[in-house]
Amino acid sequence: GGGPVWAGVEIKVAPGWVTYWRTPGQGGMPPRFEWGGSENLAMTAVRWPAPERTVIGGHSINVYTGRVVLPIRLFPAMPDRDVRVRLKLAYAVCMDVCKPVTAEHELTILARPVTMVDGAGYWPLIRQFLERVPTDDVSALGLSVSSVVLNHAVGVDAQAGLAFALFFEVSVNVHAGRVPPEEKGLALLL
């Protein structure tokens, strides 16, 4: 039968244009995946290769340029049955202005074993970008975090000569909203 499989979504942007990482920074629109209409698809796990950092309009942004493949692990609900994947992808490409892009893809993954070599060369390409995914295990990189301050100041201890990049992401959803006029202050829901 079949089990989890790797797939990839390739995004190519023209020279001078960018698209965004899962956490763009101070602006931008990250790619959004909708799997509605898929059949026998229990779960997906998108892996995000490390982005480039650039400044656009005075804002620090996490972007992809040229070509990126977003590796995706697809998990069937019932491994002995075919999986029909329907993906609607929304993202933006930007230069001086941003343009929204939507793409729709459909793929059937057979549950029965097939004898087939990846003749199109997709697995090496997916693996190449999978190797660029940042880890949250900083000790595996020979780093240790000595302090974290709410204003994003981080103390990092590293081995001499070690090159690394840190990516900050909020792991908690924070929602803010105005309270009724008779109350004072700001309401936060964490």
Side-chain angles (χ1 to χ4, degrees):
V5 297
W6 283 105
V9 170
E10 181 179 39
I11 300 174
K12 292 181 183 179
V13 294
W17 289 78
V18 300
T19 193
Y20 298 97
W21 192 45
R22 68 181 177 204
T23 307
Q26 296 171 312
M29 178 184 137
R32 298 285 182 229
F33 297 82
E34 293 180 23
W35 304 98
S38 294
E39 299 169 14
N40 194 33
L41 183 62
M43 185 175 73
T44 63
V46 179
R47 303 292 193 259
W48 298 86
E52 300 172 37
R53 289 202 176 117
T54 190
V55 175
I56 299 176
H59 299 286
S60 179
I61 309 291
N62 297 315
V63 300
Y64 296 118
T65 59
R67 172 192 204 189
V68 64
V69 173
L70 302 174
I72 303 171
R73 192 80 162 149
L74 304 171
F75 297 86
M78 295 175 280
D80 60 332
R81 300 181 115 175
D82 294 352
V83 178
R84 172 170 260 148
V85 178
R86 290 192 176 115
L87 168 63
K88 184 174 183 180
L89 177 66
Y91 61 101
V93 293
C94 301
M95 184 190 254
D96 297 326
V97 297
C98 290
K99 296 181 181 181
V101 178
T102 57
E104 294 187 29
H105 302 279
E106 189 170 317
L107 171 70
T108 298
I109 301 166
L110 302 177
R112 67 179 181 273
V114 292
T115 304
M116 179 171 87
V117 175
D118 182 13
Y122 296 126
W123 173 241
L125 181 62
I126 292 168
R127 186 178 62 229
Q128 173 189 347
F129 283 90
L130 194 55
E131 290 170 356
R132 297 180 189 175
V133 174
T135 179
D136 58 0
D137 180 8
V138 296
S139 64
L141 300 174
L143 302 172
S144 64
V145 176
S146 57
S147 64
V148 178
V149 182
L150 287 177
N151 66 359
H152 296 271
V154 175
V156 178
D157 301 316
Q159 300 169 1
L162 181 66
F164 63 91
L166 293 177
F167 300 97
F168 296 95
E169 295 185 274
V170 176
S171 60
V172 177
N173 291 327
V174 177
H175 304 275
R178 296 192 180 278
V179 295
E182 62 275 1
E183 299 180 31
K184 300 287 184 201
L186 182 69
L188 291 177
L189 174 63
L190 301 178

